PDB file of all heavy atoms in Angstrom:
ATOM      1  N   GLY O 142       0.814  -1.213   0.000  1.00  0.00           N
ATOM      2  CA  GLY O 142       0.000   0.000   0.000  1.00  0.00           C
ATOM      3  C   GLY O 142       0.845   1.259   0.000  1.00  0.00           C
ATOM      4  O   GLY O 142       0.565   2.211  -0.749  1.00  0.00           O
ATOM      5  N   TRP O 143       1.890   1.286   0.827  1.00  0.00           N
ATOM      6  CA  TRP O 143       2.764   2.460   0.904  1.00  0.00           C
ATOM      7  C   TRP O 143       3.473   2.673  -0.432  1.00  0.00           C
ATOM      8  O   TRP O 143       3.576   3.815  -0.913  1.00  0.00           O
ATOM      9  CB  TRP O 143       3.782   2.297   2.019  1.00  0.00           C
ATOM     10  CG  TRP O 143       4.583   3.538   2.287  1.00  0.00           C
ATOM     11  CD1 TRP O 143       4.311   4.506   3.202  1.00  0.00           C
ATOM     12  CD2 TRP O 143       5.772   3.963   1.594  1.00  0.00           C
ATOM     13  NE1 TRP O 143       5.252   5.502   3.131  1.00  0.00           N
ATOM     14  CE2 TRP O 143       6.171   5.205   2.157  1.00  0.00           C
ATOM     15  CE3 TRP O 143       6.530   3.419   0.564  1.00  0.00           C
ATOM     16  CZ2 TRP O 143       7.291   5.893   1.716  1.00  0.00           C
ATOM     17  CZ3 TRP O 143       7.653   4.121   0.118  1.00  0.00           C
ATOM     18  CH2 TRP O 143       8.021   5.345   0.690  1.00  0.00           C
ATOM     19  N   LEU O 144       3.953   1.595  -1.040  1.00  0.00           N
ATOM     20  CA  LEU O 144       4.661   1.709  -2.320  1.00  0.00           C
ATOM     21  C   LEU O 144       3.740   2.244  -3.411  1.00  0.00           C
ATOM     22  O   LEU O 144       4.135   3.103  -4.208  1.00  0.00           O
ATOM     23  CB  LEU O 144       5.226   0.347  -2.721  1.00  0.00           C
ATOM     24  CG  LEU O 144       6.393  -0.175  -1.868  1.00  0.00           C
ATOM     25  CD1 LEU O 144       6.668  -1.635  -2.184  1.00  0.00           C
ATOM     26  CD2 LEU O 144       7.650   0.675  -2.100  1.00  0.00           C
ATOM     27  N   GLU O 145       2.513   1.735  -3.465  1.00  0.00           N
ATOM     28  CA  GLU O 145       1.574   2.188  -4.497  1.00  0.00           C
ATOM     29  C   GLU O 145       1.211   3.655  -4.329  1.00  0.00           C
ATOM     30  O   GLU O 145       0.994   4.367  -5.311  1.00  0.00           O
ATOM     31  CB  GLU O 145       0.317   1.316  -4.459  1.00  0.00           C
ATOM     32  CG  GLU O 145       0.563  -0.115  -4.939  1.00  0.00           C
ATOM     33  CD  GLU O 145      -0.662  -0.992  -4.791  1.00  0.00           C
ATOM     34  OE1 GLU O 145      -1.659  -0.530  -4.197  1.00  0.00           O
ATOM     35  OE2 GLU O 145      -0.630  -2.155  -5.264  1.00  0.00           O
ATOM     36  N   LYS O 146       1.164   4.111  -3.089  1.00  0.00           N
ATOM     37  CA  LYS O 146       0.812   5.505  -2.828  1.00  0.00           C
ATOM     38  C   LYS O 146       1.980   6.457  -3.055  1.00  0.00           C
ATOM     39  O   LYS O 146       1.807   7.547  -3.624  1.00  0.00           O
ATOM     40  CB  LYS O 146       0.302   5.640  -1.388  1.00  0.00           C
ATOM     41  CG  LYS O 146      -0.073   7.069  -1.011  1.00  0.00           C
ATOM     42  CD  LYS O 146      -0.560   7.142   0.444  1.00  0.00           C
ATOM     43  CE  LYS O 146      -0.889   8.579   0.827  1.00  0.00           C
ATOM     44  NZ  LYS O 146      -1.349   8.669   2.238  1.00  0.00           N
ATOM     45  N   ASN O 147       3.167   6.066  -2.626  1.00  0.00           N
ATOM     46  CA  ASN O 147       4.301   6.990  -2.619  1.00  0.00           C
ATOM     47  C   ASN O 147       5.299   6.784  -3.751  1.00  0.00           C
ATOM     48  O   ASN O 147       5.978   7.735  -4.148  1.00  0.00           O
ATOM     49  CB  ASN O 147       5.037   6.876  -1.277  1.00  0.00           C
ATOM     50  CG  ASN O 147       4.198   7.324  -0.108  1.00  0.00           C
ATOM     51  OD1 ASN O 147       4.089   8.498   0.186  1.00  0.00           O
ATOM     52  ND2 ASN O 147       3.577   6.357   0.566  1.00  0.00           N
ATOM     53  N   LEU O 148       5.405   5.558  -4.286  1.00  0.00           N
ATOM     54  CA  LEU O 148       6.334   5.276  -5.387  1.00  0.00           C
ATOM     55  C   LEU O 148       5.627   4.446  -6.457  1.00  0.00           C
ATOM     56  O   LEU O 148       6.053   3.341  -6.791  1.00  0.00           O
ATOM     57  CB  LEU O 148       7.569   4.534  -4.850  1.00  0.00           C
ATOM     58  CG  LEU O 148       8.440   5.274  -3.825  1.00  0.00           C
ATOM     59  CD1 LEU O 148       9.489   4.345  -3.245  1.00  0.00           C
ATOM     60  CD2 LEU O 148       9.103   6.502  -4.462  1.00  0.00           C
ATOM     61  N   PRO O 149       4.534   4.986  -7.024  1.00  0.00           N
ATOM     62  CA  PRO O 149       3.698   4.165  -7.908  1.00  0.00           C
ATOM     63  C   PRO O 149       4.366   3.734  -9.201  1.00  0.00           C
ATOM     64  O   PRO O 149       4.020   2.696  -9.774  1.00  0.00           O
ATOM     65  CB  PRO O 149       2.495   5.080  -8.181  1.00  0.00           C
ATOM     66  CG  PRO O 149       3.016   6.468  -7.983  1.00  0.00           C
ATOM     67  CD  PRO O 149       4.009   6.351  -6.869  1.00  0.00           C
ATOM     68  N   ARG O 150       5.327   4.487  -9.701  1.00  0.00           N
ATOM     69  CA  ARG O 150       5.957   4.154 -10.981  1.00  0.00           C
ATOM     70  C   ARG O 150       7.393   3.663 -10.830  1.00  0.00           C
ATOM     71  O   ARG O 150       8.132   3.542 -11.811  1.00  0.00           O
ATOM     72  CB  ARG O 150       5.917   5.385 -11.910  1.00  0.00           C
ATOM     73  CG  ARG O 150       4.513   5.645 -12.470  1.00  0.00           C
ATOM     74  CD  ARG O 150       4.466   6.907 -13.309  1.00  0.00           C
ATOM     75  NE  ARG O 150       4.543   8.103 -12.474  1.00  0.00           N
ATOM     76  CZ  ARG O 150       3.488   8.635 -11.862  1.00  0.00           C
ATOM     77  NH1 ARG O 150       2.310   8.091 -11.978  1.00  0.00           N
ATOM     78  NH2 ARG O 150       3.619   9.732 -11.129  1.00  0.00           N
ATOM     79  N   VAL O 151       7.769   3.351  -9.614  1.00  0.00           N
ATOM     80  CA  VAL O 151       9.131   2.864  -9.357  1.00  0.00           C
ATOM     81  C   VAL O 151       9.182   1.344  -9.538  1.00  0.00           C
ATOM     82  O   VAL O 151       8.274   0.621  -9.127  1.00  0.00           O
ATOM     83  CB  VAL O 151       9.577   3.256  -7.932  1.00  0.00           C
ATOM     84  CG1 VAL O 151      10.838   2.510  -7.535  1.00  0.00           C
ATOM     85  CG2 VAL O 151       9.809   4.759  -7.860  1.00  0.00           C
ATOM     86  N   GLU O 152      10.242   0.858 -10.166  1.00  0.00           N
ATOM     87  CA  GLU O 152      10.416  -0.572 -10.392  1.00  0.00           C
ATOM     88  C   GLU O 152      10.692  -1.289  -9.059  1.00  0.00           C
ATOM     89  O   GLU O 152      11.538  -0.848  -8.274  1.00  0.00           O
ATOM     90  CB  GLU O 152      11.588  -0.815 -11.347  1.00  0.00           C
ATOM     91  CG  GLU O 152      11.855  -2.286 -11.633  1.00  0.00           C
ATOM     92  CD  GLU O 152      13.105  -2.517 -12.464  1.00  0.00           C
ATOM     93  OE1 GLU O 152      13.812  -1.520 -12.754  1.00  0.00           O
ATOM     94  OE2 GLU O 152      13.380  -3.682 -12.799  1.00  0.00           O
ATOM     95  N   ILE O 153       9.990  -2.393  -8.810  1.00  0.00           N
ATOM     96  CA  ILE O 153      10.213  -3.211  -7.621  1.00  0.00           C
ATOM     97  C   ILE O 153      11.006  -4.447  -8.027  1.00  0.00           C
ATOM     98  O   ILE O 153      10.575  -5.216  -8.893  1.00  0.00           O
ATOM     99  CB  ILE O 153       8.880  -3.636  -6.964  1.00  0.00           C
ATOM    100  CG1 ILE O 153       7.999  -2.408  -6.687  1.00  0.00           C
ATOM    101  CG2 ILE O 153       9.155  -4.418  -5.690  1.00  0.00           C
ATOM    102  CD1 ILE O 153       8.601  -1.400  -5.751  1.00  0.00           C
ATOM    103  N   VAL O 154      12.158  -4.637  -7.418  1.00  0.00           N
ATOM    104  CA  VAL O 154      13.030  -5.768  -7.743  1.00  0.00           C
ATOM    105  C   VAL O 154      13.109  -6.690  -6.532  1.00  0.00           C
ATOM    106  O   VAL O 154      13.607  -6.298  -5.471  1.00  0.00           O
ATOM    107  CB  VAL O 154      14.442  -5.292  -8.136  1.00  0.00           C
ATOM    108  CG1 VAL O 154      15.316  -6.488  -8.512  1.00  0.00           C
ATOM    109  CG2 VAL O 154      14.371  -4.291  -9.287  1.00  0.00           C
ATOM    110  N   GLU O 155      12.601  -7.900  -6.676  1.00  0.00           N
ATOM    111  CA  GLU O 155      12.598  -8.858  -5.572  1.00  0.00           C
ATOM    112  C   GLU O 155      13.925  -9.604  -5.519  1.00  0.00           C
ATOM    113  O   GLU O 155      14.414 -10.091  -6.541  1.00  0.00           O
ATOM    114  CB  GLU O 155      11.433  -9.834  -5.718  1.00  0.00           C
ATOM    115  CG  GLU O 155      10.069  -9.149  -5.606  1.00  0.00           C
ATOM    116  CD  GLU O 155       8.906 -10.117  -5.682  1.00  0.00           C
ATOM    117  OE1 GLU O 155       9.125 -11.294  -6.043  1.00  0.00           O
ATOM    118  OE2 GLU O 155       7.766  -9.702  -5.367  1.00  0.00           O
ATOM    119  N   VAL O 156      14.496  -9.688  -4.306  1.00  0.00           N
ATOM    120  CA  VAL O 156      15.786 -10.361  -4.102  1.00  0.00           C
ATOM    121  C   VAL O 156      15.657 -11.365  -2.950  1.00  0.00           C
ATOM    122  O   VAL O 156      14.592 -11.500  -2.349  1.00  0.00           O
ATOM    123  CB  VAL O 156      16.912  -9.341  -3.823  1.00  0.00           C
ATOM    124  CG1 VAL O 156      17.132  -8.447  -5.034  1.00  0.00           C
ATOM    125  CG2 VAL O 156      16.591  -8.493  -2.597  1.00  0.00           C
ATOM    126  N   SER O 157      16.735 -12.060  -2.636  1.00  0.00           N
ATOM    127  CA  SER O 157      16.683 -13.207  -1.725  1.00  0.00           C
ATOM    128  C   SER O 157      16.475 -12.832  -0.265  1.00  0.00           C
ATOM    129  O   SER O 157      16.029 -13.667   0.530  1.00  0.00           O
ATOM    130  CB  SER O 157      17.966 -14.036  -1.853  1.00  0.00           C
ATOM    131  OG  SER O 157      19.111 -13.235  -1.565  1.00  0.00           O
ATOM    132  N   SER O 158      16.796 -11.612   0.131  1.00  0.00           N
ATOM    133  CA  SER O 158      16.628 -11.196   1.528  1.00  0.00           C
ATOM    134  C   SER O 158      16.611  -9.682   1.614  1.00  0.00           C
ATOM    135  O   SER O 158      17.070  -8.985   0.698  1.00  0.00           O
ATOM    136  CB  SER O 158      17.758 -11.749   2.408  1.00  0.00           C
ATOM    137  OG  SER O 158      18.978 -11.087   2.120  1.00  0.00           O
ATOM    138  N   THR O 159      16.091  -9.161   2.732  1.00  0.00           N
ATOM    139  CA  THR O 159      16.100  -7.714   2.938  1.00  0.00           C
ATOM    140  C   THR O 159      17.524  -7.186   3.099  1.00  0.00           C
ATOM    141  O   THR O 159      17.833  -6.066   2.679  1.00  0.00           O
ATOM    142  CB  THR O 159      15.263  -7.331   4.170  1.00  0.00           C
ATOM    143  OG1 THR O 159      15.697  -8.107   5.297  1.00  0.00           O
ATOM    144  CG2 THR O 159      13.783  -7.605   3.930  1.00  0.00           C
ATOM    145  N   ALA O 160      18.394  -7.995   3.702  1.00  0.00           N
ATOM    146  CA  ALA O 160      19.789  -7.567   3.865  1.00  0.00           C
ATOM    147  C   ALA O 160      20.488  -7.484   2.506  1.00  0.00           C
ATOM    148  O   ALA O 160      21.268  -6.562   2.250  1.00  0.00           O
ATOM    149  CB  ALA O 160      20.531  -8.520   4.787  1.00  0.00           C
ATOM    150  N   LYS O 161      20.209  -8.452   1.610  1.00  0.00           N
ATOM    151  CA  LYS O 161      20.766  -8.399   0.260  1.00  0.00           C
ATOM    152  C   LYS O 161      20.264  -7.157  -0.460  1.00  0.00           C
ATOM    153  O   LYS O 161      21.021  -6.499  -1.194  1.00  0.00           O
ATOM    154  CB  LYS O 161      20.349  -9.647  -0.510  1.00  0.00           C
ATOM    155  CG  LYS O 161      20.898  -9.708  -1.941  1.00  0.00           C
ATOM    156  CD  LYS O 161      22.412  -9.821  -1.953  1.00  0.00           C
ATOM    157  CE  LYS O 161      22.936  -9.983  -3.372  1.00  0.00           C
ATOM    158  NZ  LYS O 161      24.432 -10.039  -3.407  1.00  0.00           N
ATOM    159  N   ALA O 162      18.993  -6.803  -0.238  1.00  0.00           N
ATOM    160  CA  ALA O 162      18.434  -5.590  -0.835  1.00  0.00           C
ATOM    161  C   ALA O 162      19.203  -4.356  -0.384  1.00  0.00           C
ATOM    162  O   ALA O 162      19.519  -3.471  -1.192  1.00  0.00           O
ATOM    163  CB  ALA O 162      16.957  -5.470  -0.459  1.00  0.00           C
ATOM    164  N   ALA O 163      19.500  -4.278   0.906  1.00  0.00           N
ATOM    165  CA  ALA O 163      20.248  -3.138   1.436  1.00  0.00           C
ATOM    166  C   ALA O 163      21.652  -3.081   0.838  1.00  0.00           C
ATOM    167  O   ALA O 163      22.149  -1.998   0.497  1.00  0.00           O
ATOM    168  CB  ALA O 163      20.323  -3.221   2.956  1.00  0.00           C
ATOM    169  N   GLU O 164      22.287  -4.231   0.699  1.00  0.00           N
ATOM    170  CA  GLU O 164      23.626  -4.286   0.102  1.00  0.00           C
ATOM    171  C   GLU O 164      23.601  -3.759  -1.331  1.00  0.00           C
ATOM    172  O   GLU O 164      24.488  -2.990  -1.745  1.00  0.00           O
ATOM    173  CB  GLU O 164      24.133  -5.728   0.120  1.00  0.00           C
ATOM    174  CG  GLU O 164      25.523  -5.895  -0.473  1.00  0.00           C
ATOM    175  CD  GLU O 164      25.954  -7.342  -0.544  1.00  0.00           C
ATOM    176  OE1 GLU O 164      25.124  -8.239  -0.301  1.00  0.00           O
ATOM    177  OE2 GLU O 164      27.139  -7.587  -0.863  1.00  0.00           O
ATOM    178  N   MET O 165      22.565  -4.134  -2.101  1.00  0.00           N
ATOM    179  CA  MET O 165      22.463  -3.693  -3.496  1.00  0.00           C
ATOM    180  C   MET O 165      22.162  -2.200  -3.576  1.00  0.00           C
ATOM    181  O   MET O 165      22.705  -1.490  -4.423  1.00  0.00           O
ATOM    182  CB  MET O 165      21.390  -4.515  -4.206  1.00  0.00           C
ATOM    183  CG  MET O 165      21.746  -5.999  -4.323  1.00  0.00           C
ATOM    184  SD  MET O 165      20.406  -7.012  -4.999  1.00  0.00           S
ATOM    185  CE  MET O 165      20.447  -6.488  -6.717  1.00  0.00           C
ATOM    186  N   ALA O 166      21.299  -1.712  -2.680  1.00  0.00           N
ATOM    187  CA  ALA O 166      20.965  -0.285  -2.679  1.00  0.00           C
ATOM    188  C   ALA O 166      22.180   0.572  -2.318  1.00  0.00           C
ATOM    189  O   ALA O 166      22.310   1.701  -2.795  1.00  0.00           O
ATOM    190  CB  ALA O 166      19.820  -0.023  -1.714  1.00  0.00           C
ATOM    191  N   ALA O 167      23.049   0.034  -1.490  1.00  0.00           N
ATOM    192  CA  ALA O 167      24.246   0.772  -1.098  1.00  0.00           C
ATOM    193  C   ALA O 167      25.178   1.007  -2.282  1.00  0.00           C
ATOM    194  O   ALA O 167      25.987   1.940  -2.272  1.00  0.00           O
ATOM    195  CB  ALA O 167      24.981   0.025   0.020  1.00  0.00           C
ATOM    196  N   LYS O 168      25.053   0.167  -3.321  1.00  0.00           N
ATOM    197  CA  LYS O 168      25.917   0.285  -4.507  1.00  0.00           C
ATOM    198  C   LYS O 168      25.261   1.057  -5.637  1.00  0.00           C
ATOM    199  O   LYS O 168      25.883   1.271  -6.681  1.00  0.00           O
ATOM    200  CB  LYS O 168      26.294  -1.123  -4.987  1.00  0.00           C
ATOM    201  CG  LYS O 168      27.063  -1.947  -3.961  1.00  0.00           C
ATOM    202  CD  LYS O 168      27.284  -3.357  -4.466  1.00  0.00           C
ATOM    203  CE  LYS O 168      28.004  -4.215  -3.425  1.00  0.00           C
ATOM    204  NZ  LYS O 168      28.158  -5.623  -3.873  1.00  0.00           N
ATOM    205  N   ASP O 169      23.992   1.439  -5.467  1.00  0.00           N
ATOM    206  CA  ASP O 169      23.236   2.080  -6.542  1.00  0.00           C
ATOM    207  C   ASP O 169      22.619   3.381  -6.018  1.00  0.00           C
ATOM    208  O   ASP O 169      21.670   3.353  -5.236  1.00  0.00           O
ATOM    209  CB  ASP O 169      22.143   1.126  -7.026  1.00  0.00           C
ATOM    210  CG  ASP O 169      21.391   1.653  -8.242  1.00  0.00           C
ATOM    211  OD1 ASP O 169      21.515   2.852  -8.550  1.00  0.00           O
ATOM    212  OD2 ASP O 169      20.683   0.853  -8.878  1.00  0.00           O
ATOM    213  N   PRO O 170      23.123   4.544  -6.439  1.00  0.00           N
ATOM    214  CA  PRO O 170      22.623   5.822  -5.902  1.00  0.00           C
ATOM    215  C   PRO O 170      21.180   6.133  -6.282  1.00  0.00           C
ATOM    216  O   PRO O 170      20.549   6.997  -5.659  1.00  0.00           O
ATOM    217  CB  PRO O 170      23.573   6.857  -6.516  1.00  0.00           C
ATOM    218  CG  PRO O 170      24.143   6.191  -7.727  1.00  0.00           C
ATOM    219  CD  PRO O 170      24.223   4.738  -7.400  1.00  0.00           C
ATOM    220  N   ASP O 171      20.638   5.439  -7.289  1.00  0.00           N
ATOM    221  CA  ASP O 171      19.256   5.671  -7.707  1.00  0.00           C
ATOM    222  C   ASP O 171      18.301   4.602  -7.190  1.00  0.00           C
ATOM    223  O   ASP O 171      17.154   4.522  -7.645  1.00  0.00           O
ATOM    224  CB  ASP O 171      19.165   5.719  -9.240  1.00  0.00           C
ATOM    225  CG  ASP O 171      19.928   6.903  -9.823  1.00  0.00           C
ATOM    226  OD1 ASP O 171      19.962   7.963  -9.158  1.00  0.00           O
ATOM    227  OD2 ASP O 171      20.497   6.761 -10.914  1.00  0.00           O
ATOM    228  N   ALA O 172      18.760   3.795  -6.260  1.00  0.00           N
ATOM    229  CA  ALA O 172      17.940   2.703  -5.733  1.00  0.00           C
ATOM    230  C   ALA O 172      17.715   2.862  -4.241  1.00  0.00           C
ATOM    231  O   ALA O 172      18.452   3.572  -3.549  1.00  0.00           O
ATOM    232  CB  ALA O 172      18.601   1.353  -6.013  1.00  0.00           C
ATOM    233  N   ALA O 173      16.666   2.180  -3.763  1.00  0.00           N
ATOM    234  CA  ALA O 173      16.372   2.106  -2.338  1.00  0.00           C
ATOM    235  C   ALA O 173      16.117   0.652  -1.990  1.00  0.00           C
ATOM    236  O   ALA O 173      16.017  -0.210  -2.871  1.00  0.00           O
ATOM    237  CB  ALA O 173      15.163   2.964  -1.983  1.00  0.00           C
ATOM    238  N   ALA O 174      16.015   0.384  -0.702  1.00  0.00           N
ATOM    239  CA  ALA O 174      15.733  -0.974  -0.231  1.00  0.00           C
ATOM    240  C   ALA O 174      14.712  -0.908   0.883  1.00  0.00           C
ATOM    241  O   ALA O 174      14.639   0.079   1.626  1.00  0.00           O
ATOM    242  CB  ALA O 174      17.011  -1.646   0.272  1.00  0.00           C
ATOM    243  N   ILE O 175      13.910  -1.953   0.986  1.00  0.00           N
ATOM    244  CA  ILE O 175      13.044  -2.129   2.148  1.00  0.00           C
ATOM    245  C   ILE O 175      13.738  -3.140   3.041  1.00  0.00           C
ATOM    246  O   ILE O 175      13.932  -4.304   2.652  1.00  0.00           O
ATOM    247  CB  ILE O 175      11.647  -2.629   1.741  1.00  0.00           C
ATOM    248  CG1 ILE O 175      10.981  -1.639   0.801  1.00  0.00           C
ATOM    249  CG2 ILE O 175      10.787  -2.846   2.982  1.00  0.00           C
ATOM    250  CD1 ILE O 175       9.666  -2.145   0.218  1.00  0.00           C
ATOM    251  N   ALA O 176      14.122  -2.713   4.233  1.00  0.00           N
ATOM    252  CA  ALA O 176      14.912  -3.584   5.110  1.00  0.00           C
ATOM    253  C   ALA O 176      14.841  -3.050   6.540  1.00  0.00           C
ATOM    254  O   ALA O 176      14.104  -2.115   6.848  1.00  0.00           O
ATOM    255  CB  ALA O 176      16.359  -3.666   4.612  1.00  0.00           C
ATOM    256  N   SER O 177      15.642  -3.658   7.401  1.00  0.00           N
ATOM    257  CA  SER O 177      15.625  -3.343   8.828  1.00  0.00           C
ATOM    258  C   SER O 177      16.561  -2.186   9.162  1.00  0.00           C
ATOM    259  O   SER O 177      17.434  -1.812   8.375  1.00  0.00           O
ATOM    260  CB  SER O 177      16.052  -4.569   9.631  1.00  0.00           C
ATOM    261  OG  SER O 177      17.425  -4.863   9.385  1.00  0.00           O
ATOM    262  N   GLU O 178      16.401  -1.670  10.362  1.00  0.00           N
ATOM    263  CA  GLU O 178      17.317  -0.640  10.864  1.00  0.00           C
ATOM    264  C   GLU O 178      18.729  -1.186  10.975  1.00  0.00           C
ATOM    265  O   GLU O 178      19.710  -0.482  10.721  1.00  0.00           O
ATOM    266  CB  GLU O 178      16.828  -0.143  12.221  1.00  0.00           C
ATOM    267  CG  GLU O 178      17.639   0.997  12.795  1.00  0.00           C
ATOM    268  CD  GLU O 178      17.088   1.510  14.110  1.00  0.00           C
ATOM    269  OE1 GLU O 178      16.013   1.039  14.532  1.00  0.00           O
ATOM    270  OE2 GLU O 178      17.728   2.390  14.719  1.00  0.00           O
TER     271      GLU O 178
END
């Protein structure tokens, strides 16, 4: 729901874990990750 409201046209890329998502976002200045603190 939050993604559809706030980032409706952003590409969602599913990966193996939230931590892997954070690692990938750290290498890509135009990307974000959904993960833990």
Side-chain angles (χ1 to χ4, degrees):
W143 188 93
L144 290 169
E145 290 175 353
K146 179 181 178 181
N147 295 278
L148 298 172
R150 286 176 287 277
V151 167
E152 179 186 4
I153 307 299
V154 182
E155 295 183 348
V156 296
S157 58
S158 71
T159 52
K161 181 65 176 178
E164 180 185 9
M165 295 174 72
K168 299 175 182 177
D169 186 346
D171 295 326
I175 300 173
S177 67
E178 184 177 355

